Amino acid sequence: MPELPDVEHFRRYFNATSLHQRISRVHVEEPALLFETSPQGLGRALKNRDFQSTRRHGKYLFADTGERWLVLHFGMSGALHYSQKDTGRPQYTRLSIEFENNHQLAYTAPRKLGRIALADSPEEWIEARELGEDALDISEEQFLQKLSKRRGQVKSWLMDQHSLAGIGNIYSDEILFQTGLHPKHSLQDLDEADRKQLYRTIGSVLKTAIEKKAEPERMPDKFLLPHRKQGGHCPACGTALKSLSAAGRTAWHCPRCQAD
């Protein structure tokens, strides 16, 4: 599932390709992905306007038309593709935004998951869904205060979008590996040094992933992600990686470096 680094990569791609171009047509190929709008409503909101800027909060991308904001959530497999219109729409296109310069921006989603919506502002959208602070924007003071009020397992908390927006299954595994914490480690057992290290590691891991364009296989070899698979071994000690169920997802970890 696209997480914060993926969506930040999409945001930068959107900025590099699709800002300040007049929209000539909007084609919705999968109306089921629309949230609280219709193909006609989305078309009226976007046609003859242009995207002026973008923002990202957690896993959501917002694009400003000067009046309303297009909201994109990428579900399990969503992505963006910018191309000339005469090349046809990419496979699995669910939304196509055509520009007067004969190019188009396609939102693709092979698994037909995700969300396309309109919002009056990013703040309104974030507040209505009770999303937590963005995982890259939250201050250390906010982070420590928020963490001190929670109970449960550390991986579950990292993935809770109402606590911290943007981290999912893949990057929570990397963050926990880098901090030497077991996925099921109790939040109550984290001391102040552990919590501060966790905060620093979140920022470091997410920034590295953004730098590597959210491609796990391009992460440094000392990271877990290039080895995070069946038959993979810990890049630190060589122990065979193991998987377990945590927060309803399959978590990978090193049983030696992350012993609970």
Side-chain angles (χ1 to χ4, degrees), residues 25 27 81 113 116 190:
R25 185 169 182 262
H27 185 76
H81 300 272
L113 299 172
I116 302 166
L190 296 175

Side-chain angles (χ1 to χ4, degrees), residues 139-150:
S139 69
E140 183 178 67
E141 181 180 0
Q142 287 175 310
F143 179 85
L144 295 176
Q145 183 179 29
K146 185 180 289 284
L147 189 54
S148 69
K149 298 177 181 178
R150 294 300 300 269

Side-chain angles (χ1 to χ4, degrees), residues 1-4 6 59 76 155-156 158-161 166-177 183 224-225 228 243-253:
M1 176 182 290
E3 301 180 28
L4 187 155
D6 305 83
K59 301 178 183 180
M76 293 292 291
K155 182 176 174 71
S156 297
L158 285 173
M159 293 176 59
D160 181 0
Q161 301 304 298
I167 300 172
N169 192 38
I170 292 176
Y171 290 104
S172 61
D173 277 358
E174 186 64 62
I175 290 163
L176 293 175
F177 174 75
L224 177 73
L225 291 187
R228 184 184 178 273
S243 63
L244 53 81
S245 179
R249 305 295 297 278
T250 299
W252 287 89
H253 71 293

Side-chain angles (χ1 to χ4, degrees), residues 22-26 47-49 85 98-100 103:
R22 193 174 180 86
I23 298 167
S24 59
R25 185 169 182 262
V26 177
K47 189 175 179 181
N48 297 323
R49 305 191 71 86
K85 286 191 291 187
E98 299 180 1
F99 302 105
E100 289 186 350
H103 284 68

Side-chain angles (χ1 to χ4, degrees), residues 40 114 132 164 169 194 228 251 256:
Q40 296 78 14
L164 201 62
N169 192 38
D194 291 331
R228 184 184 178 273
R256 182 177 179 184

Side-chain angles (χ1 to χ4, degrees), residues 12 41 54 56 63 65 73 98 110 112 157-158 160 187-188 196 210 223 227 232 234-235 237 243-244 255:
R12 296 179 184 187
T54 60
R56 180 198 51 73
T65 68
H73 186 276
E98 299 180 1
K112 296 186 180 181
W157 184 79
L158 285 173
D160 181 0
L187 293 174
Q188 299 95 302
K196 289 184 176 181
I210 291 169
F223 277 49
H227 313 277
C234 175
C237 71
S243 63
L244 53 81

Side-chain angles (χ1 to χ4, degrees), residues 5 22 29 33 55 88 94 97 115 126 131 145 161 171 175 181 192 216 228:
R22 193 174 180 86
E29 297 195 29
L33 295 185
R55 281 182 56 185
R94 309 306 178 193
I97 299 171
R115 181 173 290 182
I126 293 164
L131 297 176
Q145 183 179 29
Q161 301 304 298
Y171 290 104
I175 290 163
L181 293 172
E192 185 175 2
R228 184 184 178 273

